[in-house]
Amino acid sequence: MKRLYLVPVRDACNSNCSFCYMKEKKIDVSIPQYMDFDKLEEIIEEIQDEINEVEITGGGEPLIHKEIGRIIELFKAKKIYTKMYTNGFLLKEIPLVDEINLSRVHWDSQINNRFYHSSQQNDLEAVLKHYQKFAKKIRMQTILLKGAIDSADKALEFIERYEDLVDVFMFRTLFPECDLEKEHFVPYFDLNHPKVKMDQTLDAYEGELFFLDTSHKLRKEFYFGVKR
């Protein structure tokens, strides 16, 4: 069985993250900004017996898709394990998902805004409490960056603040091939905590997968456009 990586929004986002790999990509503006639900439904009908998990990710911010609720319901109806990634700056009501992965680089909103550049900065505790109502599991996805969380001690402080609200804390470095924010690069460090995972999934992913973006072209490898 394969995992489906689903990109429902081409590159539109409510943040302008300084470390976003999409900044290095040559965006194909000839493809739609948003995935068409009917086309998605047709594709899923064809591959539903081959997938057992979907990760709704970016591209852009998934929650700005006007039909994100219908997209989630499509996979729920087929009993496909559903994860969704979001920066969490939009507090929306959505159908219950199996996992939500929330992105933050620090607990302090001013430090977050230094890297996210979003006008919708909000209190992380409030975000976590909101999405607890719409997810069976919450994962915190944190890019390690100098000036934010850049040491084991800071990571442990971060965990201590939100341990009661988060199921898994995932820490990762900047993508190896990404040239952005190199001056803020922080390597992986040892962190002994039962809720921690060092997330190296996309550094060298070896599992079988499907990848589907707003071109509605189904691929069997990751594709986020070509480098500029």
Side-chain angles (χ1 to χ4, degrees), residues 120-174:
Q120 298 172 313
Q121 285 293 326
N122 48 20
D123 177 70
L124 180 52
E125 183 173 342
V127 175
L128 291 167
K129 287 181 177 178
H130 173 82
Y131 281 110
Q132 275 189 325
K133 298 178 288 186
F134 303 105
K136 297 177 184 178
K137 179 187 288 187
I138 290 182
R139 291 179 180 241
M140 179 64 63
Q141 182 93 27
T142 300
I143 304 290
L144 301 172
L145 294 163
K146 288 181 182 177
I149 293 178
D150 51 15
S151 67
D153 286 344
K154 286 185 181 177
L156 288 170
E157 183 176 353
F158 188 55
I159 293 164
E160 185 178 351
R161 287 172 178 264
Y162 304 111
E163 189 170 2
D164 293 340
L165 300 171
V166 175
D167 296 286
V168 181
F169 292 86
M170 302 177 72
F171 298 95
R172 66 158 294 115
T173 63
L174 292 162

Side-chain angles (χ1 to χ4, degrees), residues 13-25 57-59 61 85-89 102-106 108-118 121 140-149 170-186 202 224 227:
C13 195
N14 56 341
S15 292
N16 185 23
C17 302
S18 62
F19 52 83
C20 179
Y21 54 85
M22 294 301 289
K23 291 176 181 288
E24 290 194 310
K25 302 300 182 182
T57 186
E61 166 57 46
Y85 284 79
T86 177
N87 55 42
F89 296 132
L102 287 164
S103 175
R104 285 294 192 280
V105 298
H106 203 270
D108 184 275
S109 290
Q110 289 186 342
I111 293 175
N112 278 316
N113 203 34
R114 189 185 308 163
F115 295 98
Y116 287 93
H117 305 289
S118 174
Q121 285 293 326
M140 179 64 63
Q141 182 93 27
T142 300
I143 304 290
L144 301 172
L145 294 163
K146 288 181 182 177
I149 293 178
M170 302 177 72
F171 298 95
R172 66 158 294 115
T173 63
L174 292 162
F175 287 113
E177 297 179 358
C178 181
D179 292 326
L180 302 172
E181 290 288 8
K182 286 299 187 185
E183 69 275 18
H184 291 111
F185 179 85
V186 174
L202 297 184
F224 290 101
K227 203 161 184 177

Side-chain angles (χ1 to χ4, degrees), residues 162-227:
Y162 304 111
E163 189 170 2
D164 293 340
L165 300 171
V166 175
D167 296 286
V168 181
F169 292 86
M170 302 177 72
F171 298 95
R172 66 158 294 115
T173 63
L174 292 162
F175 287 113
E177 297 179 358
C178 181
D179 292 326
L180 302 172
E181 290 288 8
K182 286 299 187 185
E183 69 275 18
H184 291 111
F185 179 85
V186 174
Y188 289 109
F189 44 71
D190 291 331
L191 199 58
N192 185 19
H193 191 281
K195 285 192 172 186
V196 165
K197 178 181 179 182
M198 291 298 176
D199 179 21
Q200 301 180 49
T201 303
L202 297 184
D203 294 347
Y205 187 80
E206 297 179 351
E208 289 190 299
L209 62 90
F210 284 123
F211 182 93
L212 183 62
D213 62 10
T214 63
S215 69
H216 306 99
K217 178 180 179 180
L218 189 65
R219 295 179 169 90
K220 293 186 178 181
E221 67 282 325
F222 291 112
Y223 181 79
F224 290 101
V226 296
K227 203 161 184 177

Side-chain angles (χ1 to χ4, degrees), residues 14-136:
N14 56 341
S15 292
N16 185 23
C17 302
S18 62
F19 52 83
C20 179
Y21 54 85
M22 294 301 289
K23 291 176 181 288
E24 290 194 310
K25 302 300 182 182
K26 185 177 181 180
I27 305 299
D28 183 358
V29 296
S30 69
I31 68 172
Q33 181 65 262
Y34 300 100
M35 183 167 283
D36 179 270
F37 179 81
D38 292 334
K39 290 180 180 178
L40 169 64
E41 190 172 32
E42 289 177 8
I43 294 168
I44 300 306
E45 286 293 329
E46 295 177 3
I47 65 170
Q48 62 182 339
D49 293 335
E50 298 182 64
I51 58 174
N52 60 357
E53 181 178 341
V54 60
E55 290 199 11
I56 303 171
T57 186
E61 166 57 46
L63 282 176
I64 67 176
H65 196 296
K66 292 182 179 179
E67 295 194 282
I68 190 63
R70 290 184 72 196
I71 292 172
I72 292 169
E73 290 286 11
L74 172 64
F75 293 105
K76 286 186 61 179
K78 298 181 182 300
K79 296 181 170 55
I80 295 170
Y81 192 92
T82 304
K83 301 179 184 178
M84 189 178 73
Y85 284 79
T86 177
N87 55 42
F89 296 132
L90 293 174
L91 299 185
K92 296 188 72 171
E93 295 187 1
I94 58 173
L96 185 70
V97 295
D98 293 290
E99 291 183 28
I100 280 184
N101 283 26
L102 287 164
S103 175
R104 285 294 192 280
V105 298
H106 203 270
W107 58 85
D108 184 275
S109 290
Q110 289 186 342
I111 293 175
N112 278 316
N113 203 34
R114 189 185 308 163
F115 295 98
Y116 287 93
H117 305 289
S118 174
S119 62
Q120 298 172 313
Q121 285 293 326
N122 48 20
D123 177 70
L124 180 52
E125 183 173 342
V127 175
L128 291 167
K129 287 181 177 178
H130 173 82
Y131 281 110
Q132 275 189 325
K133 298 178 288 186
F134 303 105
K136 297 177 184 178

